[in-house]
Amino acid sequence: RSILVTGDRPEVDSYEIVYETDAKRVTGFRLEALPDARLPNYGPGRGSFNGDGAFVITEFRVELDRAPTLAKTAGGATEENAIGGEDNPPKHIEFARAYANYQSGNHAIGNAIDGNKLTNWFIGGGAGKRHVAVFETARPYEITAGTRLRVTILQNYVHQQSLGRFRLFVT
């Protein structure tokens, strides 16, 4: 129950994970970066051109989307309501604070939720170990069946330091 990212390592990367949950209320997210023997220096990042196993997260974002629904038209045909359409725009989750078990220098976990693509959470020097970040929402978000969580992990850094293996939890 984790994601292993393979293939080319671009300078800038963005992962988008879309899923549904049985939770009725969302108050936080937990991201676990996991070491893996298939990654440089056991990861948990895909490393840089140096193969150091580090990763950088520039922004961690979450939106709530309603799943498409089918509606009957006047003529009896069905049409799909698009996710994020005018009648159903996605709702951006606001975060109050973030915590992590490790960070490198002033590259603190709070940088991943500050809305600034030039700051980041960095685990340089922490290769080969499991790293955990918790993102606490600014308020509880009530959700209904069919709501999709759209998590975006932006990795806007020039040395190919993206997540290699990770898993995501919602509470």
Side-chain angles (χ1 to χ4, degrees), residues 72-151:
K72 292 217 180 233
T73 63
T78 57
E79 64 181 30
E80 187 177 295
N81 294 331
I83 294 174
E86 282 183 30
D87 297 333
N88 195 16
K91 181 184 281 188
H92 177 75
I93 288 188
E94 294 179 35
F95 292 103
R97 59 192 133 280
Y99 310 91
N101 67 333
Y102 183 86
Q103 61 193 26
S104 179
N106 63 353
H107 299 276
I109 186 61
N111 293 340
I113 58 170
D114 66 359
N116 184 348
K117 293 180 183 179
L118 300 178
T119 62
N120 56 57
W121 174 43
F122 177 51
I123 61 107
K129 299 176 184 155
R130 179 176 151 266
H131 297 286
V132 178
V134 175
F135 303 93
E136 184 181 321
T137 62
R139 63 178 177 80
Y141 288 83
E142 305 297 329
I143 60 175
T144 58
T147 299
R148 291 182 179 169
L149 299 169
R150 183 178 307 273
V151 177

